Amino acid sequence: MKILLTGGLGYIGSHTAVDCIENGHEVVIVDNLSNSKIEVLGSLKQITGKNIKFYKCDLCDFNKFSKILKKEKPDQVIHFAGLKAVGESVQKPLMYYNNNLVSTLNLLKAMELCDCNNLIFSSSATVYGEPKSVPITEDFPLSATNPYGRTKLMIEEILGDYQKANKYFNVVILRYFNPIGAHDSGLIGEDPNGIPNNLMPYITKVAFGKLKQLSVFGSDYNTPDGTGVRDYIHVCDLAHAHVLAINKNTENKGLLIYNVGTGKGYSVLDIVNTFIKNNKVDVPYKIVERRPGDIAECYASSKKASKELGFKAKYNLKDMVTSAYNYEKKHTNL
Ligand code: NAD
Ligand code: UD1
C-alpha cells in the first residue's frame, strides 16, 4: 500500500518509515523540518536501499498540502506531525493549538477531498492525565494537564466526531507510552534540539559529557525505589505497531484506540543503572525536587493491542539503552 507519513522525518516517523518499507509498503513523507533534519532522508535511504519521496511542506498550508495529497493519493495516512514539548506548550499555548489542531483539520479536509479514508493518529498516554491506578486500560477517564496534552485530547475528539459523520472513515488512535532507543544501524534516533526534557536523551548527553549531570526528579514517590515509574518502549517496537494498525484499518472497523506500551514499569533509577551497566559508562546524577506535573507511576495495559493488533514488544530494556547509547556515539565526534 502507499502510506503517507506526516512528520515522517521525526523520531517515531523515521523508524516507522523503515518498518513500513520492510513490510512491502511504499512510503511518502511530508514534513516541514521544524523539528527534524533533511539528513534523515539520506539515512532512510541507506537503511532501506529505497528512494523515499519527500515533500517539505507545512500541514498548516492547506493549498500546498492538499495538492500533494491529491497528487499522491495514498491508501493510508499516518499523522505524526505535531509539536510535542510539554514545557514549551505551557509557554506558547497558541503556537501548540495552532500547529497541532490546524494541521490535523487541514489533513482531514484534504483526505476528504481525495477520498482517502484511512488514518493512524499519534496520540499519547498524556491523555490519561493523572491515572487513578496502573496498569492503564483504554477505557480509563481522559483529561489533560497542559496545552500539549489538550491538543491530543481535542484531536481524539475531533476524530471521533468525524468518524461518526463519515462511516467510510477508519482511524486507529495509538496512545504511545514512553518511546526510547534507536534503530540498530545507529543511523536514525532521537535528536532533540537544545537541552532535552525527556529522560533518555538527557542520559545519553550526560554519558558523552555534553551535559554535566542528570537531575533525578524526586525520590519520594510511592514506588519501589521512590523514583518515577514509566512504561518505556523501544521505538522500533512502537514503529511496528503502526504497520499492524495499517492492516487493522483494512478491516473497516471505524474508530479504534490502542495503548502502545510494553505493560512493564521501570523507575528512573532502573533506567540509569541499566544504562550504566550495559554501556559501561558513568552517568553522574543527583536527586532533586519532583518536577511539577509529574506523576508517580504510568504504565499501560497492552492487552487490547496484543489481542486485536497482534502487538508484542520484541525488545527489552537492555536493547533500549544500548541502542540509545550507540546512536549518540555515532553522532558524537569522540
Ligand atoms: P518529532 O518532533 O521527532 O517528529 C514530529 C515531526 O513533525 C517533526 O519532524 C516535525 O518537523 C514535523 N512537524 C511538526 N509540525 C509540522 C507541521 N505543521 N507540518 C509538517 N510537519 C510538521 O516527534 P516524535 O517524537 O517523532 O513524535 C511524533 C508524534 O508522536 C507527535 O505527534 C507526538 O506528539 C507524538 N508522541 C510522541 C511521544 C514521544 O515520546 N516522542 C509520545 C507520545 C506521543
Ligand atoms: C513526558 C511528558 C508527556 C509526553 C512524554 C513524551 C511531562 C510532564 N510529560 O512524559 O506528556 O507524552 O514526555 O514526550 O513532561 N526524569 C528525570 N530527569 C530528567 C527527565 C526525566 O528524573 O531529566 C524522570 C521524570 O520525572 C519521569 C521519567 O524520568 O519520572 C520520564 O520522564 P520523561 O522522559 O520526561 O517522560 P514523561 O514525563 O513520562
Side-chain angles (χ1 to χ4, degrees):
M1 268 183 273
K2 189 192 264 198
I3 316 293
L4 187 138
L5 275 52
T6 75
L9 290 189
Y11 175 45
I12 303 167
S14 57
H15 290 81
T16 304
V18 171
D19 208 335
C20 283
I21 290 169
E22 284 171 354
N23 282 281
H25 297 298
E26 183 189 344
V27 164
V28 177
I29 291 177
V30 178
D31 198 305
N32 67 357
L33 302 178
S34 60
N35 197 36
S36 52
K37 299 192 177 82
I38 190 67
E39 287 75 20
V40 173
L41 198 59
S43 302
L44 292 178
K45 185 177 176 193
Q46 221 177 314
I47 296 169
T48 63
K50 293 256 163 42
N51 270 321
I52 296 172
K53 211 181 249 185
F54 170 67
Y55 295 91
K56 182 171 186 287
C57 171
D58 193 319
L59 266 77
C60 294
D61 181 343
F62 179 75
N63 285 337
K64 187 169 174 186
F65 178 68
S66 59
K67 278 186 194 125
I68 294 169
L69 210 67
K70 203 168 158 200
K71 180 170 168 232
E72 291 298 335
K73 292 194 176 52
D75 299 294
Q76 302 210 18
V77 175
I78 312 182
H79 184 35
F80 298 102
L83 298 173
K84 62 164 184 177
V86 173
E88 187 183 50
S89 80
V90 176
Q91 304 298 323
K92 301 177 181 170
L94 297 185
M95 184 169 109
Y96 271 68
Y97 288 122
N98 191 71
N99 189 72
N100 293 2
L101 299 180
V102 173
S103 61
T104 306
L105 291 172
N106 282 350
L107 171 65
L108 293 174
K109 283 190 283 178
M111 285 176 72
E112 191 170 84
L113 282 179
C114 64
D115 264 333
C116 175
N117 277 311
N118 294 296
L119 179 67
I120 295 160
F121 173 63
S122 301
S123 189
S124 166
T126 193
V127 299
Y128 295 113
E130 293 194 24
K132 290 234 160 46
S133 59
V134 278
I136 299 168
T137 51
E138 287 81 354
D139 54 2
F140 267 37
L142 305 180
S143 67
T145 53
N146 55 70
Y148 162 72
R150 214 158 281 128
T151 66
K152 292 293 173 195
L153 211 47
M154 287 174 174
I155 294 169
E156 287 203 7
E157 285 172 353
I158 291 169
L159 293 172
D161 287 340
Y162 183 60
Q163 201 287 321
K164 275 185 212 138
N166 176 358
K167 65 178 172 21
Y168 300 109
F169 183 65
N170 299 304
V171 56
V172 177
I173 294 176
L174 297 178
R175 293 180 179 151
Y176 310 158
F177 280 65
N178 291 53
I180 58 171
H183 190 260
D184 283 344
S185 64
L187 290 169
I188 52 172
E190 190 170 16
D191 189 13
N193 290 328
I195 297 176
N197 297 303
N198 296 119
L199 180 64
M200 184 51 78
Y202 206 105
I203 292 177
T204 56
K205 297 267 181 272
V206 172
F208 283 90
K210 295 176 186 176
L211 291 169
K212 225 173 109 217
Q213 71 177 358
L214 171 74
S215 296
V216 173
F217 297 139
S219 62
D220 56 350
Y221 285 107
N222 186 17
T223 60
D225 66 17
T227 66
V229 166
R230 297 289 182 276
D231 187 335
Y232 296 94
I233 175 166
H234 195 297
V235 66
C236 292
D237 278 329
L238 175 57
H240 192 60
H242 296 80
V243 172
L244 299 173
I246 291 171
N247 300 339
K248 196 73 192 171
N249 257 342
T250 60
E251 294 174 16
N252 297 317
K253 289 274 169 60
L255 180 140
L256 294 166
I257 300 177
Y258 299 102
N259 287 338
V260 192
T262 64
K264 288 193 202 87
Y266 289 106
S267 74
V268 177
L269 291 181
D270 287 335
I271 302 292
V272 175
N273 291 328
T274 312
F275 190 97
I276 293 173
K277 184 168 167 235
N278 285 285
N279 297 317
K280 300 181 180 54
V281 284
D282 194 20
V283 179
Y285 68 85
K286 68 169 179 199
I287 310 279
V288 301
E289 291 289 289
R290 293 180 179 194
R291 180 171 65 178
D294 274 357
I295 52 176
E297 279 192 298
C298 175
Y299 58 88
S301 160
S302 47
K303 281 193 187 140
K304 190 177 175 202
S306 160
K307 190 165 166 241
E308 295 183 18
L309 291 179
F311 175 74
K312 190 174 185 305
K314 279 197 322 202
Y315 297 89
N316 60 27
L317 190 57
K318 183 171 171 271
D319 303 321
M320 301 185 214
V321 299
T322 50
S323 64
Y325 176 82
N326 289 338
Y327 174 74
E328 191 68 27
K329 189 171 175 192
K330 218 164 182 148
H331 292 258
T332 300
N333 299 320
L334 287 172

